[in-house]
Amino acid sequence: MALLQIAEPGQAQAPHQHRLSAGIDLGTTNSLVATVRSGKAETLPDQQGRHLLPSVVRYQQSGIQVGHQAKQSEVDDPLNTISSAKRLIGRGVDDIKTLGSQLPYHFVDQQSSVPRIKTEAGDISPVEVSAEVLKQLSERAEGTLGGPLEGVVITVPAYFDEAQRQATKDAAKLAGLHVLRLLNEPTAAAVAYGLDKGAEGVHAIYDLGGGTFDISILRLNKGVFEVMATGGDSALGGDDFDRCVAEWIMQQAGLDENVSQGMAKRLMHAACTAKEALTQTEQTEIEVPIGTGESWQGSLSREQFNTLVDPLVTKSLMACRRTLRDAGVGVDEVQEVVMVGGSTRVPRVREKVGELFNTQPLVDIDPDRVVAVGAAIQADILVGNKPGDEMLLLDVIPLSLGIETMGGLSEKLISRNTTIPVARAQEFTTFKDGQSAMAIHVVQGERELVADCRSLARFELRGIPPMVAGAARIRVTFAVDADGLLSVSAIELSSGVQANIEVKPSYGLTDQEIETMLRDSIAHADEDKQARSLREQQVEAERVIEALQAALVEDGERLLDATERQQVDAALETLRTVSKDGDQEQIKNQIAELEKSCGFYVERRMNQSIQQAMSGHSVDEFDQ
Amino acid sequence: MLDFSKNYFDLFGLPVGYIVDASSLADRYRDLQRVVHPDRYANGTEQERRLSVQGASLINEAFETLKDPVARAAYLLSLHGVEMDVQNESTQDMAFLMQQMELREELESLREQAGPYETLLDLSGRINKQITDLVAQIAMQFETPNDEQLQEAREILRKMRFLQKLRAETERVEAELEDRLN
């Protein structure tokens, strides 16, 4: 028998081994990765010193290009170069019809609810495009840090609905990343600012990115970031500014709407360049080649530009007012406004936001990087590098969740701006004798008609014990976790029978589809699938062992008697052995076994910490 | 884990009663979430993560309930064994109902007015005042409640629900007016 290495409690592992983690800002236009090194959070550059990675992927028969190189081919090879994955992710084929006119791609006509784009390298879903961007960034981080990442925090617009969040998480899974948390972009920015300055009180985060706009109202209190309300527009951003300018150029140049895809891209590039120039100067010259050797020349003043984009800025301010009302705070209560996103460089935006909140907006941290920096700080804490840190983020669900009732109406179950995680139960009954199945349609949105809300998923409950109509009492629990993701469970109350639930996501990929993609991508990389999943299971086992060991060091003496301690140690030892010598299945079973046999200890620990938290407030506070 | 059978007041270590000190409620809420929230277990075991999501959800639910004077009243009533039929029961107080109808008409006619903001402000001021008055009344009923007082509290709560809906309606009109302005 091999000599087992038995760790003494208190010296289980190298103390405070720094775990590698990263924060990733997966943007519409550009993406970034940041990490905490020597206590400082900073974005990481590529080998050429560039921090921003264009969120562009080019699919060719010869292979896949990501980032700057791909971006260069946008004009010459628009059909195979995908640059708007974030606008498409978690969206359905119907949404694409609305967005489609702005996008050059060829969408594949198919049954699946997820749109796929025809490229030289095959049909590609937006989830796969985002996965490529994530892969590139995590490789950059691993290269810089010199080891594999244990976990990442990925940011999403606060206004992303459930399907868009789920799709983002799927992309991370495809990229082989362990997601510690999906973090809302404005909250990430607040973390970056808040920790820097120890700020307290009500803050507004105005986040205008390339394709999305978010506004969040937060209350900061002793390290707790409490989101009071969030709002925005998932289809409003700097790209729309560019489009306004591009349309103006077309008008001036006498071009009609039916320009070629390549021409459209050139116009957008020219518009974007003009917009950027106007952040510095009062007037800029524009030159666009408009066909056979000809080009159009003209100049645009900042004043003209302001007139062009004002309707868009106003749209964002309206969302700000609505969100303030949702938060129940007046403009005068907002202490500071933080500006996030490249589009807040536009002077008109700063001016108007400053006017609304009656304060000079904060722009100290580079608006392009602030989100990634905040995500890195959060990742560092979540991965366990800062035990005892007081920071806590309490976020909300951005859009109400409801279920379809008679007449196509949505009955709200969880209203928007409810703090997550949250669980709500609803009771249903059968309307036919012996009915054994039931369908539930979950939607997200504020409107009364189901048709005006976004369909999230259809659940089918099966296995309801046969009873007369109206006798069954089925309690369905809708739970939203800290990532804003929904899960549903159901139980028939009179019999205690757990109903089976089959989920049909309206816009997402099914678990099977993800499996298939994972398999494909692995086959592509010539990696042994068995080896990979064994490795994944081993990593999971390591995580469980480490978590338990750390717990034992902390309070094993106090919370366990000798027999219990033996039991826990034995279970730990078995898992350690199995994870070295066992196969994937054995390790998985042993993890489950350990969680079962040590469950009492985990519960005792949580209770203990709750008691400790409450003991700070003794009842005599009220005995005066 | 969290004792799910505890009532919300016990969970927060607060005395069972209608009067709740908002700042100590918020303090305790934050302290509880600091130890239970899933972020504390992001790298923990599957079981820890599951328990912490359940625990944090319960604490959020409890906080929402105790924070809101209307939800708190309903919860306290149910602790005293009075379960209300939210969908179907309504006050029979004719004077109150008449007054509600007038307020509603006032709100409806706002949309057609030239300068509706003043009226809207005044209207929501009056609604809030009424709610505040009811909160004071119901607090009295809950001091040392007997059956009669519980029934009285139930009646007050029915009225509170009316006003709460009206307030939501007012906010919607306000949003509408603002959107129209832009």
Side-chain angles (χ1 to χ4, degrees):
Chain A
M1 190 179 133
L3 249 175
L4 293 176
Q5 182 199 349
I6 297 172
E8 285 290 312
Q11 37 180 285
Q13 287 230 320
H16 294 297
Q17 192 190 4
H18 188 80
R19 298 156 192 263
L20 303 183
S21 67
I24 297 179
D25 175 2
L26 184 61
T28 309
T29 324
N30 293 298
S31 297
L32 287 117
V33 61
T35 191
V36 175
R37 285 189 293 178
S38 322
K40 201 173 175 303
E42 53 194 5
T43 54
L44 303 174
D46 65 7
Q47 283 172 345
Q48 283 79 46
R50 301 172 295 202
H51 289 254
L52 294 176
L53 176 77
S55 309
V56 184
V57 182
R58 184 186 191 190
Y59 289 88
Q60 287 176 289
Q61 272 169 343
S62 54
I64 296 171
Q65 289 175 344
V66 183
H68 296 278
Q69 228 184 333
K71 193 179 164 71
Q72 280 165 10
S73 52
E74 234 178 351
V75 172
D76 302 327
D77 188 17
L79 296 182
N80 296 308
T81 309
I82 302 168
S83 61
S84 307
K86 195 176 180 179
R87 285 191 171 218
L88 302 173
I89 202 163
R91 298 269 180 167
V93 177
D94 291 343
D95 298 315
I96 304 308
K97 284 182 188 136
T98 5
L99 284 167
S101 57
Q102 301 164 6
L103 300 168
Y105 317 123
H106 287 162
F107 290 96
V108 183
D109 276 328
Q110 55 171 6
Q111 295 296 310
S112 166
S113 52
V114 176
R116 287 199 164 79
I117 299 165
K118 225 187 237 321
T119 74
E120 263 182 30
D123 300 343
I124 303 298
S125 75
V127 171
E128 290 164 279
V129 180
S130 291
E132 291 300 334
V133 176
L134 288 173
K135 246 187 253 172
Q136 187 88 6
L137 289 171
S138 64
E139 278 164 18
R140 184 192 289 181
E142 290 179 345
T144 315
L145 298 173
L149 294 173
E150 285 198 38
V152 294
V153 167
I154 299 175
T155 59
V156 291
Y159 216 56
F160 252 21
D161 66 28
E162 209 263 353
Q164 290 166 306
R165 283 166 201 268
Q166 186 62 59
T168 305
K169 213 170 175 181
D170 291 345
K173 196 171 172 187
L174 265 183
L177 295 172
H178 173 57
V179 180
L180 295 161
R181 179 73 68 241
L182 293 179
L183 179 61
N184 287 333
E185 288 162 7
T187 314
V191 169
Y193 270 93
L195 290 189
D196 237 25
K197 311 188 170 188
E200 299 270 298
V202 178
H203 286 61
I205 319 288
Y206 180 101
D207 180 357
L208 190 60
T212 55
F213 168 65
D214 275 347
I215 171 79
S216 285
I217 312 292
L218 287 97
R219 190 190 294 283
L220 273 61
N221 187 310
K222 301 184 194 99
V224 178
F225 293 64
E226 211 175 322
V227 179
M228 304 166 78
T230 191
D233 192 328
S234 55
L236 173 65
D239 293 358
D240 300 295
F241 285 38
D242 297 347
R243 196 161 300 113
C244 281
V245 176
E247 277 164 14
W248 177 82
I249 298 173
M250 284 165 72
Q251 221 174 40
Q252 301 296 309
L255 296 168
D256 67 8
E257 281 170 25
N258 304 315
V259 293
S260 70
Q261 300 294 0
M263 184 67 216
K265 289 257 176 180
R266 275 199 294 279
L267 282 165
M268 287 294 277
H269 275 295
C272 184
T273 312
K275 173 185 76 179
E276 285 171 8
L278 287 173
T279 63
Q280 303 296 332
T281 61
E282 288 294 326
Q283 179 112 359
T284 186
E285 305 305 315
I286 303 172
E287 186 174 349
V288 205
I290 51 167
T292 52
E294 270 180 276
S295 51
W296 176 83
Q297 278 180 320
S299 76
L300 180 64
S301 72
R302 191 185 280 179
E303 216 183 314
Q304 280 170 301
F305 172 79
N306 289 350
T307 317
L308 291 173
V309 301
D310 261 352
L312 297 171
V313 180
T314 305
K315 214 171 154 191
S316 78
L317 297 182
M318 269 165 63
C320 290
R321 283 202 203 92
R322 265 199 302 275
T323 308
L324 279 168
R325 191 171 34 238
D326 281 351
V329 299
V331 168
D332 46 326
E333 285 173 74
V334 177
Q335 294 183 347
E336 277 173 320
V337 187
V338 172
M339 298 298 256
V340 186
S343 305
T344 58
R345 289 211 174 81
V346 173
R348 185 62 158 185
V349 172
R350 290 185 182 179
E351 178 194 331
K352 287 287 184 185
V353 172
E355 255 172 44
L356 173 67
F357 289 98
N358 204 12
T359 175
Q360 194 71 32
L362 293 178
V363 292
D364 318 22
I365 307 182
D366 182 342
D368 282 328
R369 299 190 193 178
V370 62
V371 167
V373 165
I377 294 170
Q378 164 86 334
D380 189 45
I381 293 173
L382 293 185
V383 83
N385 283 334
K386 286 188 154 184
D389 193 278
E390 290 285 272
M391 187 181 94
L392 182 65
L393 311 182
L394 299 170
D395 228 307
V396 299
I397 177 172
L399 299 158
S400 302
L401 276 181
I403 44 173
E404 178 167 355
T405 59
M406 300 287 260
L409 295 177
S410 159
E411 183 182 329
K412 304 268 178 296
L413 226 50
I414 301 173
S415 53
R416 69 165 189 272
N417 294 321
T418 301
T419 307
I420 50 175
V422 60
R424 292 278 155 80
Q426 177 94 341
E427 271 185 37
F428 297 90
T429 190
T430 46
F431 62 93
K432 266 192 212 150
D433 288 347
Q435 185 179 342
S436 67
M438 180 178 283
I440 295 174
H441 184 198
V442 183
V443 297
Q444 190 161 29
E446 308 314 313
R447 307 282 293 277
E448 277 179 33
L449 288 177
V450 163
D452 296 330
C453 292
R454 262 176 85 66
S455 169
L456 282 188
R458 288 172 193 277
F459 298 95
E460 256 177 45
L461 308 183
R462 295 186 177 281
I464 302 170
M467 290 184 220
V468 292
R473 285 169 58 217
I474 301 137
R475 177 194 283 269
V476 182
T477 305
F478 301 83
V480 179
D481 68 12
D483 289 331
L485 299 178
L486 172 74
S487 63
V488 177
S489 61
I491 189 168
E492 200 288 307
L493 291 173
S494 58
S495 65
V497 171
Q498 198 87 29
N500 294 322
I501 295 184
E502 196 186 321
V503 188
K504 287 184 187 143
S506 304
Y507 296 112
L509 298 163
T510 62
D511 286 349
Q512 270 168 351
E513 283 176 295
I514 293 172
E515 278 298 309
T516 315
M517 281 184 190
L518 264 175
R519 259 203 308 278
D520 291 353
S521 70
I522 293 162
H524 205 69
D526 282 338
E527 213 179 317
D528 184 1
K529 187 198 164 210
Q530 278 315 102
R532 180 175 156 137
S533 44
L534 173 64
R535 183 63 207 136
E536 271 173 8
Q537 228 20 274
Q538 282 171 334
V539 169
E540 178 63 20
E542 274 167 35
R543 235 157 49 82
V544 171
I545 292 171
E546 262 184 57
L548 194 54
Q549 272 177 340
L552 285 171
V553 170
E554 213 179 293
D555 55 26
E557 294 286 326
R558 222 159 7 100
L559 295 182
L560 299 173
D561 64 26
T563 329
E564 290 168 337
R565 179 60 193 253
Q566 265 176 1
Q567 188 188 332
V568 173
D569 282 342
L572 201 55
E573 202 44 56
T574 317
L575 178 59
R576 214 179 266 136
T577 316
V578 172
S579 74
K580 272 198 206 102
D581 312 327
D583 65 23
Q584 182 204 344
E585 203 56 29
Q586 286 168 323
I587 299 175
K588 196 174 169 184
N589 290 339
Q590 197 51 45
I591 292 177
E593 199 55 44
L594 176 117
E595 291 192 344
K596 211 158 67 191
S597 64
C598 300
F600 75 96
Y601 175 44
V602 172
E603 289 185 19
R604 208 175 284 172
R605 295 197 74 225
M606 265 196 206
N607 263 331
Q608 164 91 3
S609 46
I610 289 161
Q611 272 164 19
Q612 271 168 1
M614 289 288 83
S615 68
H617 314 274
S618 57
V619 180
D620 52 52
E621 270 177 39
F622 301 93
D623 285 352
Q624 297 147 10
Chain B
M1 186 41 212
L2 269 185
D3 186 352
F4 281 76
S5 63
K6 270 190 184 174
N7 76 48
Y8 294 167
F9 294 96
D10 289 347
L11 202 58
F12 282 78
L14 294 166
V16 179
Y18 189 71
I19 310 269
V20 168
D21 176 41
S23 81
S24 65
L25 177 69
D27 276 350
R28 280 148 193 266
Y29 167 69
R30 280 190 285 264
D31 286 347
L32 275 174
Q33 285 295 20
R34 253 192 250 272
V35 295
V36 179
H37 196 272
D39 277 5
R40 286 284 169 267
Y41 301 92
N43 222 23
T45 63
E46 187 66 41
Q47 186 192 18
E48 284 178 320
R49 278 179 280 169
R50 198 178 50 242
L51 283 173
S52 99
V53 171
Q54 286 170 356
S57 302
L58 177 69
I59 291 163
N60 278 334
E61 187 69 33
F63 183 51
E64 288 291 318
T65 307
L66 297 188
K67 198 168 57 171
D68 174 48
V70 180
R72 189 168 68 237
Y75 182 69
L76 202 50
L77 271 177
S78 77
L79 285 185
H80 282 107
V82 181
E83 292 290 348
M84 282 182 63
D85 180 354
V86 182
Q87 304 284 339
N88 301 315
E89 78 178 69
S90 165
T91 176
Q92 302 299 320
D93 183 336
M94 285 316 285
F96 177 82
L97 288 173
M98 287 298 288
Q99 194 191 25
Q100 291 304 303
M101 262 166 56
E102 280 162 22
L103 286 173
R104 232 161 241 282
E105 275 164 21
E106 214 175 310
L107 182 63
E108 285 308 313
S109 63
L110 264 178
R111 295 173 215 243
E112 274 71 56
Q113 280 181 24
Y117 282 101
E118 300 272 299
T119 333
L120 190 68
L121 213 63
D122 176 62
L123 184 66
S124 53
R126 273 180 288 150
I127 294 170
N128 283 334
K129 169 80 170 59
Q130 282 197 31
I131 295 179
T132 317
D133 288 349
L134 290 177
V135 166
Q137 282 178 33
I138 208 167
M140 263 162 49
Q141 306 302 326
F142 277 123
E143 270 172 17
T144 46
N146 57 28
D147 282 351
E148 198 182 321
Q149 283 164 324
L150 287 176
Q151 285 313 315
E152 182 52 33
R154 180 183 195 150
E155 171 67 7
I156 297 170
L157 180 53
R158 289 179 189 133
K159 292 179 181 168
M160 282 174 144
R161 285 226 159 95
F162 249 101
L163 287 160
Q164 202 182 30
K165 269 188 212 149
L166 188 59
R167 184 163 61 184
E169 204 72 27
T170 315
E171 279 165 13
R172 209 159 63 201
V173 172
E174 193 186 335
E176 231 176 79
L177 289 173
E178 249 172 35
D179 287 357
R180 211 195 293 168
L181 201 71
N182 285 288

